[in-house]
Amino acid sequence: MFRSIPFVFLFLVVNTTIYSQQIYKRTLKLMGSRFDITVVAKDKIEADQFIDQGVSEITRIEKLISSWDKDSQTSNINNNAGIKPVKVNIELFDLIQRAIRISELTDGAFDISYASMDNIWKFDGSMKEMPSQDKITSSIKKVGYKNIVLDRENATVFLAKKDMKIGFGAIGKGYAADKAKELLINLGVEAGIINASGDMNTWGKQPDNTDWKVAITNPLNKENAFALLPVVNSAVVTSGSYEKYVILNHKRYSHIIDPRTGYPSKGIVSVSVFAPKAELADALATSIFVMGIEVGLNRINQLAGVESIIVDDKGDVHTSNNIKIDK
């Protein structure tokens, strides 16, 4: 369920005209990925102070949700799978609870327990044949969000199966973008963008009072953008499979794996989701790869304030009901 986001596909269009306030941007590596933090401020000193606060918040989130940090609460949950419940910070508890709700919404296409899967699929060019059905079946035997047991009264999380694991690779950067945005708004930053490797969250307007806009291009035909859309106090996330895939038996398989079956998704090369929060958009973008175009758009069309643009492996563009573009 991990994603790679080439920046050529989705980028913000920024008007850099100088007004009483200016746009300041810093690019850095956080959570193992590229982050671009943009704020509107009166001068560079003020902007740097704000951006430093945003970086601190993202770093805090990483320490909370990282499964690579052996001392994190997430690692503690995983280390006690099948053994005992683990008491956690209420913030992490709530994030896991929301993740389970998205699993229910997507019929398990999104599942943070995907981390339990064996790495039997290789997308580095070394894989020449399909894994056996036995290996695939074995790979997913510990996966299943219904085995994540929550106890709100005691703020505990219990993974019911031994060696079961959870991971936030398909939702963590979106959540970090949301929390950094929330913090900066509370600090008085009137406008800005948090771009977490393609998980973008915006608020306010540019100094000339125009909306932030995002240009989207077809990854199979990058010559021209087919859409230039405003992003108004909301998030847009793009998930792409066009750089990381394998071709077996003349079929193209994405690196995004269906946690229910153990097989890679196919037929879609990119998904963009517009939603009120990056956390939700992040999870849904991954889920649509797994659900497929028809089911994915049907699900999106049932959600208020959520829209999507899908590009299939033939280069054709599909949109949810409220997005109209010249295809």
Side-chain angles (χ1 to χ4, degrees), residues 6 9 216-220 226 237-242 252 256 267-273 285 288-289 293 308-313 316-318:
F9 175 67
I216 300 177
T217 62
N218 188 324
L220 301 182
F226 63 73
V237 168
T238 290
S239 179
S241 70
Y242 37 92
R252 181 183 182 280
I256 299 173
I268 297 175
V269 294
S270 70
V271 176
S272 294
V273 173
I288 290 172
F289 271 91
I293 297 169
S308 182
I309 299 173
I310 302 171
V311 181
D312 66 26
D313 56 7
D316 294 330
V317 180
H318 310 262

Side-chain angles (χ1 to χ4, degrees), residues 15-289:
N15 187 330
T16 56
T17 304
I18 297 177
Y19 285 77
S20 59
Q21 290 191 312
Q22 299 180 47
I23 294 172
Y24 297 90
K25 174 181 171 182
R26 188 188 303 171
T27 299
L28 61 165
K29 187 173 184 179
L30 297 165
M31 302 179 74
S33 301
R34 171 174 168 166
F35 272 69
D36 297 291
I37 302 177
T38 302
V39 297
V40 173
K42 64 183 181 182
D43 55 43
K44 187 176 185 302
I45 293 175
E46 182 182 68
D48 282 342
Q49 291 173 344
F50 287 142
I51 291 173
D52 286 344
Q53 291 292 320
V55 171
S56 294
E57 179 68 354
I58 293 166
T59 302
R60 183 187 71 82
I61 296 299
E62 181 178 21
K63 289 180 180 178
L64 181 69
I65 68 174
S66 174
S67 57
W68 303 104
D69 181 352
K70 62 181 179 59
D71 297 320
S72 73
Q73 292 185 32
T74 301
S75 291
N76 196 21
I77 292 169
N78 291 342
N79 291 337
N80 285 281
I83 300 172
K84 65 178 182 179
V86 173
K87 190 172 183 64
V88 299
N89 184 297
I90 194 63
E91 180 180 8
L92 181 59
F93 184 96
D94 288 342
L95 177 61
I96 294 171
Q97 185 172 65
R98 292 195 302 275
I100 291 173
R101 288 172 180 164
I102 296 172
S103 295
E104 293 169 344
L105 174 68
T106 61
D107 300 321
F110 175 84
D111 192 335
I112 59 172
S113 71
Y114 77 93
S116 308
M117 288 191 291
D118 299 325
N119 294 320
I120 59 174
W121 295 91
K122 308 296 181 185
F123 301 93
D124 57 3
S126 64
M127 193 171 185
K128 303 303 180 185
E129 60 183 23
M130 295 278 288
S132 69
Q133 181 61 57
D134 286 345
K135 285 186 177 180
I136 292 172
T137 300
S138 176
S139 172
I140 62 170
K141 65 183 180 181
K142 297 182 290 293
V143 177
Y145 69 91
K146 293 181 180 179
N147 291 310
I148 304 173
V149 182
L150 302 182
D151 180 345
R152 174 164 289 277
E153 182 177 352
N154 295 302
T156 62
V157 181
F158 177 54
L159 305 183
K161 291 188 176 183
K162 184 70 174 173
D163 297 323
M164 190 177 174
K165 296 178 182 178
I166 59 172
F168 297 95
I171 197 172
K173 289 191 293 294
Y175 178 61
D178 288 337
K179 293 299 290 184
K181 169 184 172 178
E182 179 184 322
L183 174 67
L184 291 175
I185 289 174
N186 290 337
L187 290 174
V189 182
E190 295 181 2
I193 310 157
I194 309 295
N195 180 358
S197 292
D199 294 9
M200 295 183 183
N201 208 336
T202 74
W203 72 100
K205 293 179 179 289
Q206 299 186 62
D208 65 353
N209 205 38
T210 60
D211 294 327
W212 305 108
K213 293 182 176 66
V214 62
I216 300 177
T217 62
N218 188 324
L220 301 182
N221 180 16
K222 300 172 184 175
E223 295 299 319
N224 297 297
F226 63 73
L228 181 62
L229 302 170
V231 186
V232 182
N233 295 322
S234 60
V236 55
V237 168
T238 290
S239 179
S241 70
Y242 37 92
E243 285 194 338
K244 199 173 181 182
Y245 59 89
V246 63
I247 296 177
L248 300 171
N249 301 327
H250 307 292
K251 291 184 179 180
R252 181 183 182 280
Y253 294 93
S254 160
H255 70 288
I256 299 173
I257 309 295
D258 186 336
R260 303 166 299 185
T261 67
Y263 283 91
S265 63
K266 55 185 178 180
I268 297 175
V269 294
S270 70
V271 176
S272 294
V273 173
F274 297 77
K277 289 185 176 292
E279 174 191 316
L280 177 62
D282 203 357
L284 290 175
T286 302
S287 302
I288 290 172
F289 271 91

Side-chain angles (χ1 to χ4, degrees), residues 229 319-326:
L229 302 170
T319 67
S320 54
N321 288 343
N322 295 318
I323 292 183
K324 305 299 180 185
I325 61 176
D326 183 6

